[in-house]
Amino acid sequence: MLKDGHGRVIDYLRISITQRCNFRCRYCMPQTPFSWEPRENLLSFEELFLFVKVAIDEGVKKIRITGGEPLVRKDLDKFIAMISNYAPDIDLALTTNGFFLKHYANALKNAGLKRINMSLDSLDAKKAKFIAQKSVLHEVLAGFESALQVGLKVKLNCVVLQGVNDDEIVSLLDFAKAHDCQIRYIEFMENSHAKNELKGLNSTQILKEISKKYHLNPMPKLPESPASLFSLDDGYTFGIIEPHKHDFCDTCNRIRLSAEGLLIPCLYFDEAKNIKDAIKNGDIVSASEILRQVLQDKPKQNKWQSDDNNKMSNRAFYQTGG
């Protein structure tokens, strides 16, 4: 069993397999050039899998593949199959913008993928283009339909932005409800890579909009979930992810691994340690020791919870996988 320095059990590994993304979303990487780390700087899927096996053997029960956009990296289904074959009962999920999903949904399902978290910030083509800075909605919705058709469980994620998509809060919920998918609204996370003019809505504002149409019933927060859950009178549930809330970090069970071999203890901290050399040398013992040191260094709370006036992350979310 893996525990951090604050006694929290760590059983959830997020693996960012690439920094590359085909979107340039205003809240994430709007001005990042269309370039990427040279292949030789990345751990191969076989090398990543060496560490994944250690993590699973030490007690990790849930793995999420993220990016960047993970579907831009070739042969992702083969990596999924490596993990699934080694641990068939592992909770194996993928975070994606959905643009390429129609081409890969079936292969990913057959490889052992169980769930998908997919970004859907707008049902309006012009707004979606404004946010992603390219025309994306048609392909995203096609990917969503393909995932459902092959039997993947899908959750939808929406970053709510003032004056951009805040008038779609209810329509997006209705869309998710009609497709029997949970939607989770995400409070905008301040970071130095986002457009300066962006402002998000907090959970109170989001709930106020939904309550204009629906009666809301707060649900007990699951210890392993970052989302606060609410149900409608018909039983449909949705969530809000509130990184600014005081209890967001209390039950954090996550650690992150980047494609470059960085073990990152927290989404909103810049500190990390590299296992790349250890893995490339086949030195699993050293990689395990680095993992335990990173867990000891894992902060009790993210910078949004601190009293520091500087609450702006300098780590790009496309490097850590969100």
Side-chain angles (χ1 to χ4, degrees), residues 86-255:
Y86 185 75
D89 294 331
I90 199 85
D91 185 356
L92 189 51
L94 174 76
T95 295
T96 176
N97 61 36
F99 191 88
F100 298 119
L101 194 52
K102 70 178 181 181
H103 303 293
Y104 299 113
N106 191 58
L108 293 170
K109 179 70 164 62
N110 290 338
L113 187 70
K114 295 180 172 66
R115 300 186 296 108
I116 285 177
N117 277 29
M118 199 182 107
S119 298
L120 185 65
D121 294 322
S122 178
L123 292 168
D124 180 277
K126 290 183 179 179
K127 291 180 185 178
K129 182 177 181 179
F130 175 80
I131 295 169
Q133 301 194 95
K134 66 180 291 184
S135 295
V136 298
L137 186 61
H138 180 270
E139 296 298 323
V140 167
L141 292 179
F144 172 70
E145 294 289 348
S146 295
L148 294 179
Q149 287 172 6
V150 302
L152 286 166
K153 186 176 179 180
V154 180
K155 287 183 180 178
L156 297 174
N157 291 338
C158 173
V159 178
V160 185
L161 301 172
Q162 290 185 26
V164 180
N165 61 347
D166 52 350
D167 60 342
E168 292 188 83
I169 292 172
V170 173
S171 59
L172 282 162
L173 184 145
D174 287 340
F175 176 85
K177 186 170 178 283
H179 289 85
D180 196 26
C181 296
Q182 185 182 100
I183 188 169
R184 302 189 306 175
Y185 302 97
I186 303 174
E187 291 182 345
F188 171 57
M189 303 178 193
E190 298 87 352
N191 68 94
S192 60
H193 299 266
K195 290 285 189 182
N196 292 332
E197 71 274 12
L198 292 182
K199 292 184 179 180
L201 267 65
N202 61 35
S203 59
T204 300
Q205 293 169 310
I206 293 169
L207 291 172
K208 182 178 179 181
E209 287 301 310
I210 298 173
S211 65
K212 291 177 181 179
K213 180 174 181 179
Y214 294 107
H215 177 255
L216 306 182
N217 306 290
M219 300 176 65
K221 194 173 189 296
L222 300 176
E224 70 277 8
S225 173
S228 298
L229 298 178
F230 301 83
S231 68
L232 308 183
D233 288 343
D234 62 4
Y236 176 78
T237 64
F238 69 93
I240 300 181
I241 296 178
E242 307 162 278
H244 306 84
K245 199 171 181 180
H246 66 88
D247 63 350
F248 181 75
C249 301
D250 289 351
T251 57
C252 180
N253 63 340
R254 297 175 291 283
I255 193 167

Side-chain angles (χ1 to χ4, degrees), residues 278-294:
I279 290 296
K280 283 192 171 293
N281 292 329
D283 188 354
I284 300 302
V285 172
S286 292
S288 298
E289 291 174 352
I290 295 171
L291 168 61
R292 295 187 184 281
Q293 184 59 57
V294 169

Side-chain angles (χ1 to χ4, degrees), residues 8 189 242-245 248-249 254 266-269 299-307 311:
R8 295 171 296 196
M189 303 178 193
E242 307 162 278
H244 306 84
K245 199 171 181 180
F248 181 75
C249 301
R254 297 175 291 283
C266 175
L267 174 65
Y268 205 171
F269 269 72
K300 185 177 182 179
Q301 57 187 18
N302 63 44
K303 288 183 180 178
W304 285 297
Q305 313 303 320
S306 72
D307 294 326
K311 297 188 177 184

Side-chain angles (χ1 to χ4, degrees), residues 45 49 52-53 56 65 75-88 90 92 107-114:
F45 283 145
F49 182 57
V52 167
K53 289 192 292 184
I56 292 173
I65 309 300
D75 294 331
L76 173 58
D77 59 312
K78 295 180 182 178
F79 183 46
I80 296 288
M82 290 180 200
I83 301 171
S84 180
N85 290 337
Y86 185 75
I90 199 85
L92 189 51
L108 293 170
K109 179 70 164 62
N110 290 338
L113 187 70
K114 295 180 172 66

